[in-house]
Amino acid sequence: VQLQASGGGLVQAGGSLRLSCTASGRSLRNFHMGWFRQAPGKEREFVAAIMRSGTGSSTRYADSVKDRFSISRDNAKNTVYLQMNNLKAEDTAVYYCAGTQIVWAYVEDARRYTDWGQGTLVTVSS
């Protein structure tokens, strides 16, 4: 599946952005979808994930974004979203969406994802 991430930009600390990840080629319904980010000089890290459709739509978040970020999906639009509120300077990174069909227990492991978008840059000014 081809994934296209968008919605990044420059925002002041405390502001909000919504990232979108739109798929083509296949439906996202059968994929667990995740968002990861990579800051300059750092490794890629897990941000959030949402379970495939029809299995309860459970979500999972990194502790650093819990209560500030929200992941959701719109199957009709074949799109996954990441709503980011109360952004902090440390949220500055390139954000990637990704899809996987492995078991839910491994959704925080980037190595388990098979399909990746190209990334969208989020810059939070303090």
Side-chain angles (χ1 to χ4, degrees), residues 16-29:
S16 298
L17 281 175
R18 189 178 77 159
L19 305 184
S20 300
C21 176
T22 300
S24 60
R26 289 182 67 181
S27 171
L28 291 181
R29 294 182 61 89

Side-chain angles (χ1 to χ4, degrees), residues 7-121:
L10 174 64
V11 63
Q12 289 188 333
S16 298
L17 281 175
R18 189 178 77 159
L19 305 184
S20 300
C21 176
T22 300
S24 60
R26 289 182 67 181
S27 171
L28 291 181
R29 294 182 61 89
N30 295 323
F31 287 81
H32 301 318
M33 296 300 297
W35 286 95
F36 292 80
R37 66 186 182 187
Q38 188 166 17
K42 295 187 176 181
E43 294 186 354
R44 190 170 299 190
E45 65 175 359
F46 169 77
V47 176
I50 186 166
M51 189 176 282
R52 65 169 62 97
S53 296
T55 54
S57 294
S58 292
T59 57
R60 188 176 296 177
Y61 297 93
D63 288 342
S64 60
V65 306
K66 202 171 294 183
D67 299 326
R68 298 189 299 121
F69 290 12
S70 178
I71 188 171
S72 61
R73 65 196 307 156
D74 184 335
N75 290 327
K77 296 182 178 180
N78 217 22
T79 298
V80 174
Y81 302 99
L82 184 68
Q83 178 67 43
M84 306 185 295
N85 299 325
N86 191 22
L87 282 160
K88 304 176 180 180
E90 51 264 42
D91 294 318
T92 294
V94 176
Y95 284 71
Y96 299 88
C97 62
T100 182
Q101 293 183 303
I102 52 82
V103 295
W104 178 246
Y106 299 121
V107 288
E108 296 185 29
D109 186 350
R111 297 169 298 177
R112 302 285 185 164
Y113 285 75
T114 55
D115 301 89
W116 289 84
Q118 85 289 0
T120 184
L121 176 63

